[in-house]
Amino acid sequence: MSTNLLPTVPADAPAAPSDDGPARTYVVRTLGCQMNVHDSEHMAGMLEQAGYHRANAHDEARLEADVVVVNTCAVRENAANKLYGNLGQLASTKARRPGMQIAVGGCLAQKDREGIVERAPWVDVVFGTHNLDALPVLLERARHNEAAQVEIAESLQVFPSTLPTKRESVYAGWVSISVGCNNTCTFCIVPHLRGKERDRRPGQVLAEIEALVAQGAIEVTLLGQNVNSYGVEFGDRGAFAKLLRACGTIEGLERVRFTSPHPAAFTDDVIEAMASTHNVMPQLHMPLQSGSNQILRTMRRSYRSEKFLGILDRVRAAMPDAAITTDLIVGFPGETEADFAETLRVVEASRFASAFTFQYSPRPGTPAASLGDQVPHEVVQERYERLMALQDRVSGEESAAQVGRTVEVLVTEGAGRKDDASHRLTGRAADNRLVHLALPLDVAAARAALDGDDRLDEPLDPRVPRPGDVVTVRVTHSAPYHLVADSALATDEATSIYSVRRTRAGDAWAARERDRAGLGGDHAHGAGTGAASAGGPVVLGIPAVRKG
């Protein structure tokens, strides 16, 4: 095994597979947060630039490829269990597939390093969060040397957004505005694994957004561990609000979202920018973690529940239709029944549309892992169930209040579990609520009778939406975590609300799918000129600086 803790990969090192014959295939399996999803897009982009081809859907689902990359998370204990479960499955696959390579990247790779190869010696490459760019070279080196390569950089070598990117979606994209975090939450290992916050300059961020829009995207999500501290590194504490306003000037960009802000750094200027910028969506995801001020102190969360609730009040005053979501931790060390009661109180008052709720998981290397007074598992479980019951009720009430509203739904590629049986499509409203919408009866019947995909037809029925198109419907039913819009089925003309707006994003999706199907032709009408292929890697003209 070759181990290197300092970056030594030369910029011009050969990375493409050297064997003659069919192109090697790859799969990237992502575990973890949105930042990891976006990092996986960079990994895929680099592999494609190096000559690899993405495996087909059947092989991808079975992790059958010449190269399998597992992009890991280290936030919770079950993330490690998922990694080694995946690696165990891959051991047998590799045994019957000569020449297959397995690479492990991401936060757990940054943390465990050589330990991954010691525990799973069939792994070929381990690389960390700071040197994504090394992946193709490490794969080639491992093949050439016939030995595992472990390379972990201690600081960021190349800003990930300067790397080639294979976007999962053509109608929506992730855009990193910063990496790393300067906070010191006692439960969180992310600052140790991703380092101190590094901010991209606004011009670089806006250039990437404009490039995405030129390729057909109409929605972007700005990413950072703490987006509203953006600008601290280059001396402008108001930079995030300015960035939101600048997004409002980009022609063709219809929806802007961001995740995640920290309550301690959330300013009224950001609220005003959200409310006054036409394409910033009425949605906010802001982690609460706990409603107990004592637990917030122990967590080193530098706000209190009163401040958090005050922010929500001001957001709703500026944007009455805003849907607010959060993260919650149950059973943090020292949490008493009185502390938990405070969490229930704040959750009830916050009226979250939904909440990502977790049972506390000690992470080695974090201050909280060594705290005394760990809460027994059975107590944590019981509190977790009470909190989930409360949030289910609140979410159900908030969703029920949406019934009767007319919403614009951006149709997505992912289908709901019952979409085929119900002949519905799935998408997201402006406030990011999940919406299942019905097609007109005759459209649904015609689609059900087809063998192929009518969304690629030319001419296309104007009532058939494609992923990336926007459909206006009325919400007719609700459940705690989704809405149903069956207004297309109404027999009364006054309540039969259904209209499809074609978008450049839908055009870009159709062009990509026609290309994948080998249908050829230029069908990306209005998707912009001079843009990269909708399905290919994107390389922005931003220089990458290497040290050493």
Side-chain angles (χ1 to χ4, degrees):
M1 178 178 70
S2 173
T3 302
N4 188 358
L5 296 184
L6 294 175
T8 61
V9 179
D12 57 354
S18 56
D19 293 344
D20 293 332
R24 286 165 62 80
T25 60
Y26 75 88
V27 169
V28 179
R29 169 65 60 86
T30 307
L31 310 175
C33 66
Q34 297 98 326
M35 193 71 74
N36 271 22
V37 172
H38 191 33
D39 283 349
S40 290
E41 292 182 333
H42 296 311
M43 295 173 194
M46 288 185 293
L47 291 172
E48 297 231 345
Q49 189 178 70
Y52 295 86
H53 288 240
R54 182 173 176 172
N56 62 46
H58 178 264
D59 288 345
E60 191 169 60
R62 301 170 58 199
L63 295 181
E64 290 269 3
D66 297 307
V67 171
V68 175
V69 183
V70 184
N71 187 13
T72 64
C73 172
V75 172
R76 289 176 294 281
E77 185 178 7
N78 67 346
N81 296 336
K82 285 182 181 178
L83 167 65
Y84 290 105
N86 274 280
L87 293 181
Q89 174 188 347
L90 288 168
S92 58
T93 306
K94 185 175 182 179
R96 57 180 167 75
R97 189 178 181 116
M100 177 182 177
Q101 290 184 289
I102 301 169
V104 178
C107 288
L108 198 62
Q110 185 78 23
K111 172 180 171 290
D112 287 357
R113 307 184 179 209
E114 301 92 338
I116 292 174
V117 176
E118 292 168 1
R119 185 168 171 179
W122 53 91
V123 169
D124 299 279
V125 169
V126 177
F127 63 107
T129 57
H130 297 312
N131 62 330
L132 302 185
D133 59 312
L135 172 60
V137 177
L138 292 174
L139 287 168
E140 184 65 15
R141 189 187 297 162
R143 286 210 309 151
H144 180 272
N145 296 346
E146 297 183 346
Q149 303 294 307
V150 179
E151 182 163 295
I152 305 295
E154 300 300 339
S155 60
L156 193 65
Q157 303 304 303
V158 176
F159 207 100
S161 293
T162 66
L163 300 172
T165 307
K166 174 75 171 180
R167 302 276 179 179
E168 282 294 309
S169 168
V170 294
Y171 50 83
W174 310 102
V175 176
S176 291
I177 67 172
S178 64
V179 294
C181 182
N182 294 337
N183 294 313
T184 58
C185 303
T186 56
F187 58 82
C188 186
I189 200 168
V190 168
H192 173 66
L193 301 178
R194 288 194 177 265
K196 292 290 187 181
E197 181 175 323
R198 295 278 303 278
D199 295 331
R200 297 175 73 191
R201 295 304 184 265
Q204 296 174 339
V205 175
L206 294 170
E208 182 174 358
I209 295 172
E210 289 168 351
L212 281 172
V213 171
Q215 294 153 25
I218 60 174
E219 175 177 304
V220 298
T221 300
L222 307 177
L223 288 179
Q225 300 296 338
N226 178 11
V227 291
N228 50 358
S229 68
Y230 173 72
V232 170
E233 189 186 30
F234 53 84
D236 185 355
R237 292 185 177 274
F240 184 60
K242 293 175 184 176
L243 184 63
L244 291 179
R245 294 186 181 101
C247 287
T249 68
I250 298 177
E251 185 176 354
L253 179 60
E254 297 188 17
R255 297 186 174 197
V256 178
R257 307 187 191 278
F258 58 87
T259 191
S260 291
H262 192 291
F266 206 91
T267 66
D268 289 345
D269 191 27
V270 169
I271 296 173
E272 195 281 330
M274 292 173 64
S276 64
T277 305
H278 71 97
N279 55 6
V280 175
M281 294 294 94
Q283 175 227 343
L284 174 65
H285 181 82
M286 188 162 65
L288 169 63
Q289 307 299 7
S290 174
S292 162
N293 288 340
Q294 178 56 50
I295 295 299
L296 290 172
R297 289 188 190 94
T298 309
M299 289 178 167
R300 289 188 199 152
R301 300 283 290 178
S302 47
Y303 58 89
R304 300 298 173 256
S305 61
E306 296 79 7
K307 178 182 177 73
F308 186 93
L309 290 170
I311 293 171
L312 301 196
D313 287 343
R314 294 194 296 279
V315 168
R316 288 184 169 126
M319 293 174 290
D321 295 329
I324 300 174
T325 57
T326 197
D327 297 333
L328 297 163
I329 296 174
V330 179
F332 190 79
E335 181 187 78
T336 65
E337 182 60 29
D339 292 322
F340 181 67
E342 279 295 284
T343 294
L344 295 178
R345 178 187 68 82
V346 176
V347 168
E348 178 83 60
S350 297
R351 309 301 298 174
F352 297 120
S354 65
F356 295 96
T357 305
F358 307 101
Q359 299 185 30
Y360 171 70
S361 174
R363 304 309 296 135
T366 62
S370 58
L371 290 176
D373 205 9
Q374 300 282 329
V375 183
H377 173 72
E378 60 273 15
V379 175
V380 176
Q381 180 65 35
E382 189 273 337
R383 290 176 183 170
Y384 175 80
E385 291 172 2
R386 274 194 283 160
L387 180 56
M388 287 295 294
L390 170 61
Q391 186 56 55
D392 286 348
R393 175 175 64 78
V394 171
S395 294
E397 293 167 354
E398 292 298 302
S399 287
Q402 304 300 309
V403 174
R405 292 188 61 192
T406 298
V407 295
E408 288 192 336
V409 179
L410 175 61
V411 177
T412 59
E413 287 187 276
R417 288 183 294 112
K418 300 179 181 179
D419 279 3
D420 287 341
S422 64
H423 303 297
R424 292 189 179 100
L425 299 179
T426 292
R428 295 279 176 177
D431 62 8
N432 211 35
R433 283 187 167 92
L434 187 67
V435 181
H436 304 299
L437 62 94
L439 298 171
L441 282 174
D442 60 326
V443 174
R447 298 195 76 214
L450 292 173
D451 290 331
D453 191 342
D454 62 331
R455 297 173 298 178
L456 303 183
D457 288 351
E458 291 194 355
L460 175 65
D461 185 331
R463 297 173 299 166
V464 175
R466 307 158 300 179
D469 287 337
V470 176
V471 183
T472 300
V473 286
R474 182 174 55 83
V475 178
T476 55
H477 306 85
S478 69
Y481 301 109
H482 70 264
L483 304 174
V484 175
D486 283 350
S487 55
L489 306 180
T491 55
D492 177 8
E493 186 175 341
T495 58
S496 179
I497 298 174
Y498 178 88
S499 64
V500 177
R501 177 166 62 85
R502 295 276 179 254
T503 68
R504 295 177 310 101
D507 293 340
W509 178 87
R512 185 191 69 181
E513 294 306 301
R514 292 183 67 85
D515 183 62
R516 286 177 174 176
L519 299 178
D522 180 10
H523 301 275
H525 307 302
T529 57
S533 167
V538 178
V539 184
L540 295 177
I542 302 172
V545 178
R546 289 181 176 270
K547 298 180 180 179

